[in-house]
Structures are given as C-alpha cells and as structure tokens.
C-alpha cells in the first residue's frame, strides 16, 4: 500500500515538474528554443507538485510521505537533466 | 536567491572548493559506501548465495538454548543476545560487562554461531566481543558497513573521522546554497553544451541544487550517529552528571528495575516469540532478542522488530522473563513515549531509509549516489578550471581513481569473498581484504599509467563495469545451486542482485565504449575553454 501510494504521488509530482520544465524560460533560451507563449502559472504548478505529499500526510501515510519527500529532489533532477530536443515547441 | 558582494562570494567559493579538495575524496568514499550498505542485508544474503532459513527465531529453540547455557561459564550467563544474520545463521551471545584493557566497560562472553535448521554449533568463541574473530558468513556485508561507519579505523577515531566528514558535507551544502545566486531560476536549466567548462558547472550545480536538502539531512544524521555515543554522551555526562556516565545512560534510557538475583526458571524464548507475534503486541517476528538475567526473578526480555507495513518506526517490546508477562511497547529512549524518542527514531529513518522495504532502499541508494555525483562533478569542475597546472591534473587523476576505484575495490573484496567462502572458509577474511586492496591497486596503477585526459576515466569506468559483470559469474561458478533453486527457497534476492549487477556492469562498459568513440578534447582546446570559462563564469 505504502509503495503504491508513493509511486502514484511521485507520478503526479513528475507530471507537474515536466510542465514547469517545458515552460521554463531560461532553459528554453539556453537551448535556443522559442519562448513559451502561454501563461506559465509557475507558482500554481509548484504547489501542484507538492500536493501529493500533502495528501499523503492528510491520509496519515507517513512512510509513503517520507519516501515521496526523499524522492522529490531526485525526480526534479531527473526531469531537469536531459537536454531539450530541438523539436521543443512553444 | 542570496545577493552577496563579490569578495564574499569568492570567499564562500574558496570554503566550498577547498573543503572539497582537502576532504572530498574521503567524503565520496563514505557516501558511496553508505549508499551501497542500504542494501547490506541483501548483499549479505547474496554473498552466500541465499540465506539458509528464514524465521529461525520462531523455531523450537528452548532445548538448544538450555544446552548451550550449560556449556557457558557461570559469569557469562548474565545477558543473552539472539539474532539471525543475513546468511541465516543464528547468533547466540552469552555475556556480561567488564572493563577492558582501556578501562572501558565492554561485553565479554561466549558467542555461538548456530545452524538455523538443527541449532547445531557451527563455531564458538570466548572473550571480549570486540576481540572475537568476524563471523565469516556475514563478513562481506560487515566489511562494507565498517568501511562506511568508520573507514576501518579503530574506535573512536574512525567514528570521529566519519562524523567530521558528515560536518564537511554540511558545510559544502550550506556554502553551495549561499553562493548560488540563481537557485530557483536554474532549477530546470539542463546542462548547456556550448563549452566543456560550462557544461561541467551546470551538471554540478543542477545535481547539487536538487540534492541540497538531502545532503543536509544525511550529513546531520550521519554526524549525529558518529558523535552521539563517542562524544555526545561523555560530554553530557561530564557537564550534567559530574562525569557519571552510568547516571547519564540511566537518564537517557531509563532507570533499570532494582536487581533481584532470586533464582527463577526462565520462561523460554519460544513462549516470548509466540506472544509477541500476536496482534496486540508487535504482530511480527522479532529480528533481535535481548535477554537480561535469564534464570532470575528479575529477568527481562526485549524483542526488536522491523517497521510494520506503512509505518516509519520499528518497535521494541518488553516481557517479564520469569513469567512471560507482556509489559508493553518500549520507546527508543526513556521509559515513556516522548517527542524526543520519536525524534531520535526519525534520525534513524532519514539516515538509513530501511523503513519500507525495497522502494525506500532504492530511493536512499539513489540519493546517496546523487550526492556522490555532486562530489565528483564538483571536484572535476575545480580541477578543470586549473588544469594548466600539473598538481591539479594530478588531483583530477586522483578524483577519477577514487570515484571508480572505490567501486572496483569493493567488487575486488566481493570476488575475494566469493572465491573462498564455499571452498576455503578458513581464508575468507584474508581473501576479502586482499581482494579489496588488490583491486584498489589495479585502479591506482591504471589511473597513473594512462596518459592524462578523458581516456583515464573511461578506462576506469570500463574496468568498473567489467568488475560488476564478473561478480554474478563468480558467484554462480563458486556456489551450488542455480536460479530455479533460489526461487524455490525464497531467495529471489540472489537472482535480483545477479541481474542488477549484470545490467549495471553492461551499462558502464557500454557508456565507457560510447565515450571512447567520441573525439577526445586536446589539452590546447581544454586550456582555451578554461580561460573562456574563467573569464565568463568565474
């Protein structure tokens, strides 16, 4: 149960990270992609990335929360590390 | 984002860099071995090709314990510790406490290693626990754990060393945090490939930024474990208890019940184990049992348990050893549950990551490896900015040798263990240690004989991959049984380890070959880039 909850929470966090990265202006500029045109809502997406952890805490899934908390930076790093492909679109 | 004057940023960079240059390689070894020993139990089971039998503590053990008690000198029957090691052997240590040659209280007694199937004696040793020979069946695992905990230095020097390295990691993480001006803005900045130096810096900064919180947690908790008993308790005893360590221990762990040596038959391990497995107690089989004063009316039995599914903390439960009465759950500290006790347990949870089976272990292994990556890329970046000077090129070589050589040396130890454990058990310890040093020597020779440049790290990486590939092959050759047997005997961990090692080994060899096929950068190009990088990003 704890493992399943953790993986689900991590998947949700990863989706939020992927969006933040996709719209990140500095990353797009550094890799010569065109600027993202839509509204970014960075704060909202950061909050959304942390919601799964909050839900685990509310459900008193303490072990799952600690695993999610520990894996949070790993996910961020893994999402940020790859160089964006040339096909990146606004 | 912290704005600082240029001079202060430069000073912070000096603290960050020089502390890493002076102690970073030792820190790397401690963090890497720490990441690996998250899987110590699995390594132990794998190294002997599967544990012999699980759940030996739930077996018909009382008759054997009574027979063993008769073989032990009267003075050693004061306390008994009972546990099963990763290889499955049951360890029974009958002991008391006496001052050793250094004047410190230490455990002295008789240690039996028992076969878990019929409780026959595999080995027996008498004397101080610290002086006894290592148990061969768990030697590889113990060797790695000892390397992480105290770098094989004698106590307490080894613990001081690793504690100081923990504090160094704390300094590096905090100084890195302070001097990084665009912490939030750069969180999703993938390493840029425009220039070799910028790419190195981006790689280090990205990994360092994301892993900063875990680095601080692991550094603090590691330093806590190193200093708590070696320095913390004596200091508390001197300052708050006028040097009385016993009084300090009683204040921390709780006052023991008054001693009553009136003889009374011991209720037996079987009754306690059966009771503690009921749902109103622990509901699980203990991993460790401590018996105080067996055969007396004041006998107490404490059972220790792994965390239940979904729980963070394992537990310990107390029983009356004369009547078998369940006395309740025992907190980690003191007599009553408290915030302090939970906090201490939490320190263990965050440092070891052993609370939720395989998933938590994989996460903690990955976090440890990420910290190693930050250390390695940081040192390589420092060297790359100064590689026109010969002494820094030497530092670059040492960094590669340590980064890959530590893994190669650990694999050498494992090969030495595997080569002898089943065939020549008398020399297991020597061969494991010799395997470690021989492989370390090979890494050093390869690192120094090769000309400087990218090829050194690639050759060492390929060597590391090959040594990982050799491990499962060596284990299969030297042990009886195959994968189908391990699966039937509930030893899937052996198969899992074999496959992981094969995949990792193949991956590193492939990465090394792939990198070798790229055009190497000439020293002139490197020098030009260094100058560019220094002017643009210094």
């Amino acid at each position: 149960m704890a493992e399943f909850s953790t993986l689900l929470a991590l998947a949700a966090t990863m989706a939020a990270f992927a969006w933040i990265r996709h719209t990140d202006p500095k990353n797009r500029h550094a890799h010569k992609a065109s600027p993202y045109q839509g509204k970014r809502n960075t704060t909202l997406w950061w909050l959304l990335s942390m919601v799964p952890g909050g839900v685990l805490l509310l459900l008193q899934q303490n072990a799952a929360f600690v695993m999610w908390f520990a894996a949070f930076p790993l996910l961020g790093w893994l999402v940020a590390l790859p160089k964006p492909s040339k096909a990146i679109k606004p | 984002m912290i704005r600082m004057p240029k001079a202060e940023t430069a000073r912070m960079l000096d603290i960050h860099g020089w502390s890493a240059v002076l102690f970073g390689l030792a820190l790397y070894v401690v963090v890497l071995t720490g990441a690996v020993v998250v899987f110590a139990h699995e390594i132990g089971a794998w190294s002997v090709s599967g544990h012999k039998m699980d759940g030996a503590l739930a077996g018909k053990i009382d008759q054997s314990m009574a027979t063993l008690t008769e073989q032990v000198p009267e003075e050693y029957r004061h306390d008994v510790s009972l546990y099963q090691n990763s290889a499955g052997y049951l360890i029974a240590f009958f002991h008391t406490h006496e001052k050793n040659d250094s004047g410190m209280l230490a455990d002295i007694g008789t240690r039996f290693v028992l076969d878990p199937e019929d409780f026959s004696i595999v080995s027996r040793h008498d004397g101080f626990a610290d002086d006894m020979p290592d148990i061969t069946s768990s030697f590889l695992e113990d060797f790695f754990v000892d390397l992480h905990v105290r770098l094989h230095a004698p106590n307490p020097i080894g613990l001081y060393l690793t504690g100081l390295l923990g504090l160094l990691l704390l300094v590096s993480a905090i100084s890195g945090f302070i001097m990084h001006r665009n912490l939030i803005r750069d969180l999703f900045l993938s390493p840029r490939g425009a220039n070799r130096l910028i790419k190195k810096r981006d790689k280090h900064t990205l990994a360092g930024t994301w892993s900063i919180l875990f680095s601080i947690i692991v550094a603090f908790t590691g330093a806590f474990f190193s200093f708590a008993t070696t320095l913390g308790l004596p200091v508390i005893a001197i300052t708050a208890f006028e040097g009385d360590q016993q009084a300090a221990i009683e204040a921390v762990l709780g006052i023991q019940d008054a001693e009553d040596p009136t003889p009374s038959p011991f209720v037996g391990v079987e009754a306690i184990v059966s009771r503690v497995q009921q749902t109103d107690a622990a509901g699980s089989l203990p991993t460790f049992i401590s018996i105080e004063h067996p055969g007396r009316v004041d006998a107490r039995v404490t059972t220790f348990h792994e965390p239940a599914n979904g729980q963070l903390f394992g537990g310990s439960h107390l029983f009356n050893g004369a009547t078998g009465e369940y006395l309740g759950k025992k907190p980690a500290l003191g007599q009553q549950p408290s915030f302090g006790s939970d906090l201490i347990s939490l320190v263990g949870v965050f440092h070891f990551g052993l609370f939720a089976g395989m998933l938590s272990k994989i996460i903690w292994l990955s976090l440890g490896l990420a910290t190693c990556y930050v250390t390695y890329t940081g040192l390589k970046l420092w060297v790359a900015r100064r590689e026109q000077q010969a002494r820094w090129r030497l530092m670059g070589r040492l960094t590669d040798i340590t980064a890959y050589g530590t893994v190669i040396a650990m694999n050498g130890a494992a090969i030495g263990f595997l080569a002898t454990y089943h065939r020549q058990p008398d020399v297991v310890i020597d061969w494991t240690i010799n395997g470690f040093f021989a492989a370390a020597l090979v890494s050093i020779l390869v690192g120094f004989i090769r000309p400087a440049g990218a090829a050194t790290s690639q050759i060492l990486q390929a060597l590391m991959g090959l040594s990982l590939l050799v491990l499962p092959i060596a284990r299969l050759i030297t042990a009886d049984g195959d994968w189908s047997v391990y699966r039937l005997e509930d030893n899937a961990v052996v198969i899992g380890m074999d496959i992981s090692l094969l995949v990792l080994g193949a991956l590193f060899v492939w990465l090394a070959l792939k990198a070798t096929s790229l055009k190497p950068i000439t020293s002139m190009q490197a020098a030009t880039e260094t100058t560019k990088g220094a002017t643009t990003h210094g």
Side-chain angles (χ1 to χ4, degrees):
Chain A
M1 179 63 186
E3 287 90 340
F4 180 72
S5 316
T6 311
L7 292 173
L8 202 65
L10 289 174
T13 298
M14 194 167 181
F17 278 164
W19 180 256
I20 299 171
R21 175 185 184 267
H22 175 70
T23 59
D24 186 74
K26 192 166 181 184
N27 195 37
R28 294 178 78 94
H29 175 75
H31 294 284
K32 298 182 175 57
S34 52
Y36 179 73
Q37 300 298 336
K39 200 173 176 199
R40 286 192 67 217
N41 291 322
T42 317
T43 313
L44 176 71
W45 283 98
W46 267 109
L47 285 172
L48 281 175
S49 74
M50 294 174 199
V51 162
V55 172
L56 291 175
L57 265 187
L58 279 177
L59 296 173
Q60 295 190 324
Q61 295 270 320
N62 296 337
F65 170 75
V66 173
M67 281 192 279
W68 171 85
F69 176 74
F72 185 88
L74 278 176
L75 271 191
W77 183 39
L78 285 180
V79 169
L81 191 59
K83 197 175 163 184
S85 62
K86 289 276 179 197
I88 194 165
K89 292 281 188 292
Chain B
M1 190 158 79
I2 298 170
R3 289 273 172 215
M4 283 196 308
K6 260 190 176 176
E8 280 185 35
T9 307
R11 201 173 305 140
M12 201 56 75
L13 182 64
D14 280 345
I15 293 171
H16 188 75
W18 278 103
S19 59
V21 166
L22 294 173
F23 305 105
L25 296 179
L27 176 67
Y28 177 92
V29 173
V30 172
V31 178
L32 179 73
T33 49
V36 171
V37 299
V38 170
F39 283 91
H41 192 74
E42 285 74 13
I43 291 170
W46 171 84
S47 66
V48 295
S49 295
H51 56 77
K52 280 177 81 73
M53 187 182 121
D54 238 350
L57 287 173
K60 296 286 178 196
I61 196 173
D62 284 349
Q63 184 55 47
S64 306
M65 288 300 286
T67 312
L68 292 176
T69 306
E70 285 167 15
Q71 298 177 28
V72 170
E74 182 81 33
E75 65 270 24
Y76 293 164
R77 298 178 191 171
H78 195 260
D79 296 337
V80 187
S81 303
L82 204 56
Y83 66 97
Q84 208 175 358
N85 72 4
S86 324
Y89 289 97
L90 200 64
I91 319 298
F93 182 39
F94 294 76
H95 62 280
T96 187
H97 315 281
E98 275 180 21
K99 285 193 173 174
N100 59 17
D101 294 341
S102 327
M104 303 292 286
L105 265 184
D107 291 345
I108 181 169
T110 304
R111 186 190 70 195
F112 294 101
V113 177
L114 308 170
D115 189 304
E117 282 162 13
D118 56 6
F119 301 116
S120 58
I121 298 172
V122 176
S123 70
R124 173 191 170 142
H125 291 97
D126 296 78
F128 278 106
D130 290 342
D131 299 336
M132 285 183 189
D134 294 288
I135 298 168
T136 50
S137 56
S138 54
F139 184 68
L140 186 65
E141 164 194 359
D142 293 342
F143 183 78
F144 290 161
V145 170
D146 217 26
L147 187 58
H148 169 63
V149 172
R150 56 189 182 98
L151 291 168
H152 287 292
N155 274 330
I157 296 164
L159 286 170
Y160 288 155
L161 273 175
T162 50
L164 286 171
L165 290 170
L167 294 179
L168 173 87
L169 180 58
L170 204 60
V171 169
S172 297
I174 293 170
S175 56
F177 171 76
I178 293 172
M179 72 186 187
H180 193 334
R181 281 173 294 176
N182 300 309
L183 193 77
I184 303 293
R185 260 179 48 191
D186 289 354
L187 268 174
F188 286 98
L189 179 62
S190 325
R192 290 162 288 186
N195 158 321
R196 195 173 61 107
L197 207 61
I198 294 176
K199 194 173 182 180
K200 275 183 193 291
R201 193 197 64 164
D202 282 356
K203 278 182 175 179
H204 174 66
T205 309
L206 187 68
T209 308
W210 278 105
S211 64
I212 204 162
L213 186 60
F214 178 75
S215 297
I216 289 172
I217 290 173
V218 85
F220 172 77
T221 52
F224 173 84
F225 282 118
S226 285
F227 290 131
T229 52
T230 53
L231 204 61
L233 196 61
V235 166
I236 290 170
I238 290 165
T239 53
F241 295 89
E242 294 173 347
D244 188 347
Q245 286 208 30
Q246 190 58 36
I249 289 168
E250 282 180 355
V252 174
L253 297 178
I255 298 167
Q256 299 280 313
D257 294 333
E259 290 212 1
D260 184 353
T262 311
S264 175
F266 177 55
V267 68
V269 174
E270 290 171 27
I272 303 281
V273 170
S274 168
R275 175 70 185 88
V276 81
Q277 289 187 87
Q278 291 173 16
T279 47
D280 63 327
S284 63
L285 193 64
T287 51
F288 189 96
I289 298 174
S290 166
I291 309 166
E292 291 170 75
H293 318 146
R296 285 171 30 170
V297 79
D298 62 348
R300 291 286 180 273
V301 181
T302 311
T303 61
F304 298 81
H305 301 258
E306 285 180 351
N309 190 21
Q311 299 296 310
L312 276 178
F313 307 141
S316 50
H317 296 260
L318 190 65
F319 290 84
N320 183 319
T323 63
E325 183 193 355
Y326 176 49
L327 302 174
K329 198 170 179 186
K330 210 176 156 187
L333 281 183
Q335 304 282 45
Q336 301 295 328
S338 64
F339 176 68
S341 173
D342 285 348
L343 205 59
I344 291 293
S345 302
L346 211 54
V347 169
V349 164
F350 275 106
H351 191 77
F352 302 118
L354 304 176
F355 55 93
M358 206 49 87
L359 183 59
S360 68
K361 288 182 183 184
I362 290 170
I363 292 172
W364 257 253
L365 169 73
S366 311
L367 286 166
L369 295 181
T371 309
C372 287
Y373 181 80
V374 175
T375 313
Y376 176 70
T377 51
L379 283 167
K380 292 293 278 185
L381 175 64
W382 183 269
V383 169
R385 282 178 168 158
R386 296 160 179 80
E387 69 185 354
Q388 283 156 320
Q389 297 171 46
R391 62 179 178 204
W392 289 114
R393 286 198 294 276
L394 177 68
M395 182 70 198
R397 280 184 192 234
L398 283 174
T399 305
D400 284 329
I401 290 168
T402 308
Y404 298 106
T406 307
V407 182
I408 295 168
M410 289 171 82
N411 293 343
I415 292 166
F417 181 93
L418 293 168
T420 49
Y421 180 71
H422 291 288
R423 311 212 169 159
Q424 289 172 287
D426 294 344
V427 293
V428 165
I429 293 171
D430 291 340
W431 272 65
T432 307
I433 297 168
N434 292 344
F436 181 85
F437 284 112
L441 190 66
V442 169
S443 310
I444 293 167
L445 289 175
V446 169
F448 279 113
I449 288 170
R450 286 294 307 171
T456 310
S457 62
Q458 284 147 18
I459 285 176
L460 284 167
Q461 191 180 47
L463 195 61
M464 181 177 81
L466 285 173
S467 67
L468 286 165
L469 283 172
V470 166
L471 289 178
I473 297 164
R475 196 200 60 70
L476 280 164
I477 292 171
T478 55
D480 299 326
D482 55 34
W483 282 6
S484 58
V485 176
Y486 304 135
R487 196 165 51 80
L488 289 174
E489 290 177 350
D490 196 22
N491 270 316
V493 67
V494 179
I495 305 172
M497 286 278 296
D498 278 350
I499 294 173
S500 306
L501 290 166
L502 286 171
V503 170
L504 274 176
L507 179 72
F508 281 116
V509 171
W510 177 74
L511 284 173
L513 292 175
K514 192 179 155 205
T516 313
S517 66
L518 298 174
K519 191 183 166 191
I521 294 172
T522 64
S523 54
M524 186 59 81
Q525 277 175 307
T528 317
E529 285 181 4
T530 307
T531 319
K532 265 195 227 166
T535 49
T536 339
H537 300 280

